[in-house]
Amino acid sequence: MSSGFFRAAQPAMVSEDGTLDAVERLATMSKAEVDDLPYGFVVLDEVGTILLYNRYESSLSRLAPERVVGKNWFKEVAPCTRVEAFYGRFRAFVQDEARLSESFRFRFHFMHGLQDVAVQFVKAPPVVALPLVQEGTAARIFMTVVRRPAVEAGANRDGHDLQTSLGTIGGLLPVLLDALPALLERLGPRGAVELGEHVGRAMALVIESEADAHAREGGRAPVLAPGALDGVLARVGLGRVAIEAAAWSEQKRVHCELRPPFESEAAETALFYGALLAAAIGSGLGEPCQASFVENSKPHEVPWILDVCPAPPVERRSELTSSPS
């Protein structure tokens, strides 16, 4: 008879043809059985090290199992998943002892193209007979990956989705995220601002294209709708932002709390994010803006507390400035 763990977790893994594979059966499969599964099946430890990688997943990613087993999924194998929508879910799932299953959709950015998938995490049972590369791992996560038809997420009839709006950098950004602070430092202050403005304007286009009547209630610009900019930032893996509700026509100021996805003391990283916020909000409002740290807020302390307000007429571009102490 199944334990309470298994009763709570089932139905567990769903294949493309809709059949169910119980966690108990998966835990006792041979290598040949794992490779015959009609969906991607990966076993991870609690930090994302790959312990098993089946043939279906190998064909999906075009990476041989021997190249990836023993490496970290999020850092070395699939860096495009090191975003809140995937890695954030994984961390929260691992830390929540009561949660046994988690399902969501995701878009992989492979070198050979885009692939929409359905992903599921399930916590493995205490006893696992699978041929794993590391037997002594304390916690194991079963992950399934099922192909789904590729649909441009966030695109409307005008075709405004984030990847298209960003152009060439859009396809590279998910892969470059871990190296972004170093890249910005190499670009220098001016380059960091210009890149931030480019990304911010693209995000404003996406928000405008996705806005519906609800987002425009009360005359609110779509870019200031609750969660609008935060959602686009999270989807591309650039962090999270909370924006205080603002009647721009009255206050002419937007208060932002920003959490970047990495720690960085480089001034160029702060310039990039300040320019991004100013360009996104300014583009959505139709007037040039600039961002500045609020009093006593420091670039090396997360979250960053920033104010976005209209730029003085003499300013040629939106730049991040520190408030006087």
Side-chain angles (χ1 to χ4, degrees):
M1 185 173 72
S2 296
S3 67
F5 176 94
F6 295 121
R7 284 198 300 272
Q10 292 183 6
M13 303 299 187
V14 184
S15 69
E16 282 183 314
D17 61 5
T19 60
L20 302 180
D21 287 306
V23 174
E24 294 155 296
R25 192 173 84 83
L26 287 169
T28 60
M29 281 185 173
S30 66
K31 182 64 169 65
E33 290 175 315
V34 166
D35 280 339
D36 285 339
L37 288 172
Y39 51 82
F41 180 53
V42 181
V43 182
L44 305 171
D45 69 8
E46 68 273 17
V47 297
T49 304
I50 299 173
L51 309 179
L52 183 145
Y53 195 83
N54 79 337
R55 184 165 53 198
Y56 186 102
E57 186 64 20
S58 177
S59 67
L60 182 67
S61 66
R62 301 185 187 178
L63 295 172
E66 57 267 24
R67 287 182 56 192
V68 300
V69 171
K71 295 184 178 180
N72 188 279
W73 169 275
F74 300 101
K75 296 179 180 179
E76 301 172 274
V77 176
C80 69
T81 64
R82 196 174 173 83
V83 295
E84 186 68 20
F86 199 116
Y87 186 48
R89 288 176 184 269
F90 177 82
R91 287 183 302 172
F93 178 68
V94 169
Q95 293 167 7
D96 187 349
E97 295 182 358
R99 193 171 186 84
L100 302 178
S101 179
E102 172 83 6
S103 301
F104 57 98
R105 297 293 183 93
F106 190 76
R107 169 166 291 183
F108 281 105
H109 296 268
F110 295 120
M111 294 296 290
H112 52 276
L114 302 176
Q115 177 64 62
D116 285 352
V117 297
V119 180
Q120 186 175 24
F121 296 139
V122 172
K123 287 177 180 165
V127 178
V128 174
L130 285 164
L132 304 180
V133 67
Q134 296 175 13
E135 295 292 343
T137 306
R140 303 184 185 98
I141 306 298
F142 289 173
M143 178 175 70
T144 61
V145 181
V146 179
R147 295 180 201 258
R148 294 297 182 208
V151 177
E152 287 299 324
N156 71 349
R157 62 179 178 272
D158 298 321
H160 287 304
D161 66 90
L162 195 57
Q163 300 299 328
T164 301
S165 298
L166 285 174
T168 303
I169 191 67
L172 295 175
L173 198 54
V175 180
L176 294 174
L177 279 181
D178 283 341
L180 187 58
L183 172 64
L184 294 171
E185 195 169 2
R186 287 176 63 88
L187 289 175
R190 182 178 293 274
V193 168
E194 290 178 349
L195 181 58
E197 289 178 335
H198 177 59
V199 175
R201 285 191 293 266
M203 289 183 172
L205 274 177
V206 174
I207 292 169
E208 178 66 32
S209 70
E210 294 179 347
D212 54 21
H214 177 72
R216 295 185 173 90
E217 283 182 3
R220 183 198 299 272
V223 72
L224 295 183
L229 188 54
D230 175 61
V232 181
L233 273 171
R235 271 152 49 190
V236 79
L238 284 174
R240 309 300 299 267
V241 64
I243 297 179
E244 285 187 2
W248 183 258
S249 60
E250 300 172 6
Q251 300 179 23
K252 290 292 183 180
R253 184 174 297 272
V254 179
H255 193 68
C256 306
E257 182 177 300
L258 176 69
R259 292 181 180 273
F262 34 64
E263 296 181 4
S264 174
E265 297 185 7
E268 288 81 5
T269 305
L271 285 167
F272 168 81
Y273 275 99
L276 185 157
L277 287 177
I281 294 172
S283 296
L285 295 171
E287 59 181 295
C289 290
Q290 67 179 16
S292 61
F293 282 104
V294 302
E295 188 175 1
N296 298 323
S297 178
K298 307 296 183 183
H300 60 275
E301 295 176 354
V302 176
W304 293 343
I305 310 299
L306 305 167
D307 277 339
V308 176
C309 58
V314 295
E315 292 292 335
R316 187 170 65 89
R317 61 165 50 91
S318 306
E319 296 191 6
L320 179 65
T321 58
S322 297
S323 298
S325 56

